[in-house]
Amino acid sequence: MKPTALLRRTSARTLLATGLLTSLVLTAGCTKSEGSSDSDKAAPQQGDAGQQVASPSAGSGPACTIDAYGGEKLDLKSATVGFSQSEKEANPFRIAETASIEAEAKKRGVKLLTANAQSQFSKQISDVQDLIAKGADLLVIAPLNSDGWEPVLRTAAAKHIPIVTVDRKINATACKDYVSFIGSDFVEQGKRAADEMIEATGGKGDIAILLGSAGNNVTTERTKGFVDRIKDKAPGLKVVFQQTGEFAREKGQSVTENLIQSKPGIKGIYAENDEMGLGAVNALKGAGKKPGAVKIVTIDGTRNAVQGIVDGWIHGVIESNPRFGPLAFQTLDTFTQGSEVAQDIVIKDSAYTEANAQSDLDKAY
């Protein structure tokens, strides 16, 4: 993103202590989404579209070392890394995430084993167990749910296998059950989405929330950030409808269709990811609404959502950068060499608005 498009984060969290004090970028492109049309192709990646660690500062928070975690030093180039993807790659976020991991492994010459849980948590647990059985020395996991990881953690602990989670946290103890979490400040994302909604609506009216999937910290924290900011800054905005759209476009559309029928005077919709927001757009189009009649704010930064801003259907998109490859592998490399890494590695996200959506469209994924 352009420097002028970056929004200042209101909170800085713990970061890498050694070896990760510079921004990391990825130039690998993304593949086409399953079942998508040509218009759903991911845009080419730009060098400055990669992830950046927010306010890096050595020793600023809890860290982890291989001695504290339990294990032995190893050379990442000779190791096997297992990557567990949580969802079917019909979602541009997941496409970009997997492509980033695969591209960085190839760049570093690291053997990579991959598995996709197809949005089934029981399958993800068995997937990770299988990756371990196939010889994974290190694990990168994009968790579907935050709870229920005890079987994997027991197996990994017995073999002293370091685990890094990306995008979503697991409910376990850092530097004991896993090494580090790499992802966004989801509460902050919710707050920033609320700021966009307040601006779009003038701070008054009835609004709805399309919740993400239950059982993970992303949904919980994006909801908390949004609701708390609305209560604090715009008491004239009333959340009159909340229902899960399961982070899926089709479900987001069907929920919005019901919303239009039950709450015809709705003024704004906060979708906790772009896919649900695009489903809401489809529902509004089907109901004969005009662009901008209902203000939509989403989170992710996919090309289709940013195009929605250009077309007038979406008011704003808070970025959630999925390009975890460079940062995940650098974290593993630093850790396995014996240096300490942060337990929470928070990335810096930007935003798309009417002011930059057209010019920055090719930086979306």
Side-chain angles (χ1 to χ4, degrees):
M1 301 292 290
K2 294 181 178 179
T4 56
L6 292 174
L7 301 180
R8 185 180 301 273
R9 306 184 66 86
T10 58
S11 63
R13 295 168 58 190
T14 54
L15 308 160
L16 281 176
T18 304
L20 294 178
L21 302 186
T22 57
S23 300
L24 296 166
V25 298
L26 179 66
T27 57
C30 298
T31 58
K32 183 177 178 182
S33 166
E34 295 180 43
S36 62
S37 65
D38 289 342
S39 63
D40 285 343
K41 290 181 180 178
Q45 302 299 327
Q46 302 295 318
D48 59 355
Q51 288 178 341
Q52 296 179 324
V53 176
S55 305
S57 57
S60 62
C64 188
T65 64
I66 199 163
D67 290 336
Y69 185 79
E72 298 180 354
K73 295 179 183 179
L74 58 83
D75 183 353
L76 184 61
K77 290 183 178 180
S78 63
T80 297
V81 176
F83 172 58
S84 171
Q85 178 58 274
S86 57
E87 300 173 13
K88 180 180 179 181
E89 291 172 15
N91 182 328
F93 184 97
R94 298 301 171 189
I95 296 171
E97 184 176 63
T98 297
S100 176
I101 296 291
E102 291 177 340
E104 188 66 15
K106 182 177 181 181
K107 175 183 174 181
R108 289 172 173 266
V110 175
K111 181 179 179 181
L112 181 70
L113 304 175
T114 63
N116 191 305
Q118 305 291 318
S119 300
Q120 302 172 47
F121 185 62
S122 60
K123 184 178 185 305
Q124 186 167 37
I125 295 299
S126 63
D127 280 349
V128 179
Q129 298 277 29
D130 188 51
L131 291 172
I132 294 173
K134 288 179 177 178
D137 303 298
L138 307 159
L139 291 169
V140 178
I141 300 174
L144 182 64
N145 294 338
S146 296
D147 292 320
W149 285 94
E150 290 80 9
V152 163
L153 299 179
R154 284 195 298 269
T155 303
K159 294 179 177 290
H160 304 290
I161 297 174
I163 298 172
V164 168
T165 72
V166 296
D167 177 46
R168 297 175 184 172
K169 281 189 173 183
I170 59 175
N171 290 328
T173 303
C175 206
K176 176 179 176 292
D177 300 313
Y178 68 96
V179 175
S180 299
F181 159 74
I182 306 173
S184 298
D185 184 336
F186 302 116
V187 172
E188 181 66 15
Q189 287 179 341
K191 291 179 179 179
R192 295 170 67 195
D195 290 339
E196 289 292 324
M197 184 63 74
I198 293 168
E199 177 186 339
T201 59
K204 296 181 180 180
D206 292 344
I207 58 175
I209 301 177
L210 299 184
L211 301 166
S213 301
N216 67 77
N217 69 300
V218 178
T219 297
T220 302
E221 294 177 18
R222 285 180 179 171
T223 303
K224 175 177 171 52
F226 184 86
V227 171
D228 287 353
R229 181 61 65 92
I230 291 295
K231 288 180 179 178
D232 182 45
K233 299 293 185 180
L237 276 178
K238 304 298 182 183
V239 178
V240 298
F241 180 97
Q242 294 187 60
Q243 188 172 329
T244 181
E246 298 176 0
F247 287 135
R249 190 182 304 194
E250 296 79 6
K251 188 64 180 290
Q253 179 173 340
S254 64
V255 170
T256 304
E257 289 169 348
N258 294 333
L259 166 66
I260 295 169
Q261 293 294 321
S262 63
K263 305 288 184 182
I266 203 75
K267 194 171 183 179
I269 297 173
Y270 165 46
E272 293 186 338
N273 81 335
D274 285 355
E275 286 296 287
M276 293 189 297
L278 291 166
V281 169
N282 290 340
L284 294 172
K285 288 179 178 179
K289 301 287 187 180
K290 294 182 178 180
V294 177
K295 307 301 182 183
I296 298 176
V297 178
T298 72
I299 298 178
D300 266 351
T302 64
R303 183 178 178 88
N304 289 322
V306 178
Q307 183 64 51
I309 299 175
V310 176
D311 296 339
W313 285 99
I314 295 176
H315 177 78
V317 176
I318 305 303
E319 182 191 44
S320 193
N321 196 327
R323 303 175 181 101
F324 289 100
L327 197 50
F329 278 86
Q330 183 60 61
T331 301
L332 291 173
D333 196 16
T334 301
F335 179 77
T336 55
Q337 287 182 32
S339 297
E340 65 180 20
V341 297
Q343 295 176 15
D344 285 304
I345 302 169
V346 181
I347 62 174
K348 178 165 52 179
D349 294 315
S350 189
Y352 296 91
T353 66
E354 293 177 357
N356 69 350
Q358 182 67 69
S359 61
D360 289 349
L361 182 59
D362 283 344
K363 296 176 184 178
Y365 54 88

